[in-house]
Amino acid sequence: MNEYQKIADLLFPNAINIEKIKEKYPRRKLQEGCQVTRYAPSPTGFMHIGNFFQAFISYNLAKNTNGVFYVRFEDTDNKREIKEAKEVIYQILEEFSILPDEYQSLDGEDHGIYGPYVQSQRLDIYKAFAKKLVAEGKAFPCFCKKTEGKEDVLKLRETKFEQDDEKEYDPCRNLSFEEIKKHIDNNEPFAIRLKTKNDGSQRIKFYDLIKGEIEAKANSKDFVLLKNDGVPPYAFAHAIDDTLMGTTIVVRGEEYISSTPMHIELFEALGFSPICYCHNPLIWKIGESGNKRKISKRNDPEADMRFYLREGYPKESVLEYLLNLINSGFEIWRKENPDVNWSDYKFGIKDITTIAPVFDIVKLNDIAKNIIAKEKGEQLYLNWVDWAKEYDIALANTLIQNKEKFIKLCKMERDECIKPRKDIYNLKMLKEYFFYAFERPSQIEVENKTIFVDFIKAYLKEFIMPNSNQEWFDKIKEIAGNNGFAIDNKLYKLNPEQFKGNIAKACEYARIAITGQKSGPSLFYIIDALGEKETIERLKSAIEI
Ligand code: GLU
């Protein structure tokens, strides 16, 4: 038995046999052109829009080729409770209908044969591959541990032994079986490091599916494959998982480009075929001072995918906005196909933008306004109730108890309009939008209180519930005419001093009495929604205040 194999057996006496692992993960039988993609979140209890962007691209690449999209939790660097992290991610994916074909559900059950879909449950697999590398002399155990003070050997590693010409002085790189055995007999924990074959003089080329050919310095670091608690950092875990789980395209953020040379050396050392990387551009934002910066969890509420749910944006508006960021051709397609679902828009890798997209909420709002403008009033009401049940329960109760009123309001300037208004972009703003439906005006501001009060008294006296906009207008005109207002605008313009105001003024007074505002949608619809009793109450109360 060679020395390396002896070391490997000493370090990992109980590791599973690699062949057994390979049997458990058969090659996927895929039709030509089908892509297997994945979303591999680290559990942070949060879903950044950039991560969602990546998941959305991966999902589409798989769906557009009848392939497979799966979710794998990369929880080896993060101590967070996996269940809590899964909840956040699955809530977002479900709400936006970006559903994986394979994943581990909240109860821990794997759906798909390539699981477990959570890395912390795959430690035996990583161990087996680490053993293989040690047995082949491509990796070595490292017994250095963190020590306090200047002589911290782990720090020394980074500053000294990791340097290309200092590897010789690495205290662990070339230990003999006997030396290693002493450490093991001493029960010392060990990490496993790659024994890089490079000395810092080599360069490599690799192909990124979005950015094309990239040339970079080859890896020349003995980086850690397994930490001394047996847990692998990202590089080692992803190389093994993406290979065993049959990923065909790794879509990940472009911040990973700089570590790709490490990953390439690792794939080679493991004897795996190289994998296709597709580094997607990150999403930027124009900051307050006009500078371009990455959209960040700390500064931008819209970085958190839950923001769009909380604000009640139509889900399709967010997806369509992201499609716009992925490929500007989407906008043209949307204009040509105004009525089909976004999922009919098929894009491939070559269509993904190479330029970092800039997030612009105004654009998102425009898309959302168009989508909401197309909804019928009743649907808008139902969406509003559903949203409120989740985010504002008191509001939900009000909406349910006053269903008829709110449906009427939602239908206003919408159901029978050829060009419905386009000023609502999320459900949260509806409460403010229909403020007059929630409370009677508490303050009345008019230039001439006496004229106002006299007119409202007259209006109240003769008030009848109108059946149409025309009927309402005819009536208010009649009352205004009988009470010193000009019903002919030309006459009014010639001799304004002879009148209390024109008909527009009279309508404005009625509106102020009922809603507290000078302008808004046709008053007939508001009266119709509020109902006779409430309208009369408001007229009375306006006279009092
Ligand atoms: N767990 C990594 C992250 O959240 C995933 C990177 C990848 O997709 O390979 O950044």
Side-chain angles (χ1 to χ4, degrees), residues 38 40-42 51 54 74 234 250-252 255-256:
R38 85 304 193 266
S42 298
N51 294 129
Q54 200 179 311
E74 303 204 326
Y234 168 76
V250 169
V251 178
R252 59 182 184 184
E255 71 272 23
Y256 283 96

Side-chain angles (χ1 to χ4, degrees), residues 5-219:
Q5 184 65 55
K6 269 170 69 189
I7 296 173
D9 288 340
L10 176 67
L11 298 174
F12 301 108
N14 305 316
I16 337 171
N17 184 304
I18 294 277
E19 292 313 313
K20 285 237 163 64
I21 298 176
K22 287 188 178 157
E23 271 166 36
K24 193 174 169 264
Y25 293 93
R27 274 175 83 99
R28 288 178 186 267
K29 291 193 184 72
L30 298 170
Q31 304 235 314
E32 174 134 5
C34 288
Q35 302 299 352
V36 179
T37 60
R38 85 304 193 266
Y39 173 49
S42 298
T44 56
F46 175 87
M47 194 175 196
H48 190 281
I49 187 171
N51 294 129
F52 185 80
F53 186 57
Q54 200 179 311
F56 187 49
I57 294 176
S58 302
Y59 170 86
N60 278 287
L61 292 179
K63 292 294 137 193
N64 294 347
T65 57
N66 293 319
V68 177
F69 169 64
Y70 72 90
V71 171
R72 178 179 74 228
F73 277 90
E74 303 204 326
D75 60 337
T76 59
D77 284 339
N78 201 306
K79 301 274 171 287
R80 189 177 282 267
E81 215 8 82
I82 185 74
K83 185 153 184 284
E84 178 198 334
K86 274 187 195 164
E87 271 167 9
V88 175
I89 304 276
Y90 289 153
Q91 183 206 1
I92 306 282
L93 294 180
E94 240 173 84
E95 293 270 4
F96 288 94
S97 302
I98 303 302
L99 303 178
D101 302 301
E102 299 173 14
Y103 62 103
Q104 186 178 87
S105 47
L106 291 180
D107 59 6
E109 193 188 331
D110 282 308
H111 302 262
I113 61 159
Y114 292 86
Y117 294 90
V118 172
Q119 285 186 331
S120 58
Q121 296 165 20
R122 302 170 65 83
L123 299 183
D124 283 349
I125 299 176
Y126 309 127
K127 201 189 270 182
F129 282 95
K131 179 174 184 180
K132 172 177 146 70
L133 291 183
V134 174
E136 290 169 359
K138 295 173 182 167
F140 62 90
C142 170
F143 295 91
C144 298
K145 29 177 201 299
K146 221 178 170 149
T147 51
E148 296 301 318
K150 273 193 200 140
E151 285 305 297
D152 184 338
V153 68
L154 286 181
K155 278 217 183 90
L156 258 183
R157 284 198 153 276
E158 280 166 33
T159 51
K160 194 169 156 70
F161 311 137
E162 297 279 318
Q163 300 307 311
D164 297 327
D165 47 356
E166 300 275 355
K167 289 206 180 64
E168 292 308 299
Y169 307 107
D170 183 318
C172 301
R173 198 171 206 252
N174 296 308
L175 292 179
S176 65
F177 174 80
E178 275 70 31
E179 287 164 318
I180 292 174
K181 189 158 185 314
K182 263 190 218 150
H183 285 290
I184 296 291
D185 289 346
N186 239 345
N187 278 330
E188 286 176 46
F190 57 88
I192 297 292
R193 288 179 183 273
L194 178 81
K195 194 183 248 181
T196 179
K197 57 183 182 38
N198 300 321
D199 62 9
S201 61
Q202 300 81 354
R203 295 192 68 78
I204 54 161
K205 282 185 183 160
F206 59 93
Y207 192 80
D208 175 82
L209 292 175
I210 296 188
K211 300 183 193 301
E213 190 173 84
I214 296 177
E215 198 194 312
K217 180 174 176 284
N219 170 65

Side-chain angles (χ1 to χ4, degrees), residues 283-302:
I283 301 179
W284 294 71
K285 187 178 163 169
I286 305 292
E288 295 61 39
S289 49
N291 59 325
K292 214 166 119 182
R293 59 168 176 76
K294 275 184 226 158
I295 189 161
S296 85
K297 178 175 166 179
R298 184 179 297 208
N299 300 315
D300 310 304
E302 66 272 30

Side-chain angles (χ1 to χ4, degrees), residues 438-452:
F438 293 91
E439 52 191 46
R440 294 183 183 157
S442 56
Q443 261 185 331
I444 301 276
E445 276 178 40
V446 284
E447 314 89 61
N448 190 322
K449 275 191 186 154
T450 321
I451 298 181
F452 172 79

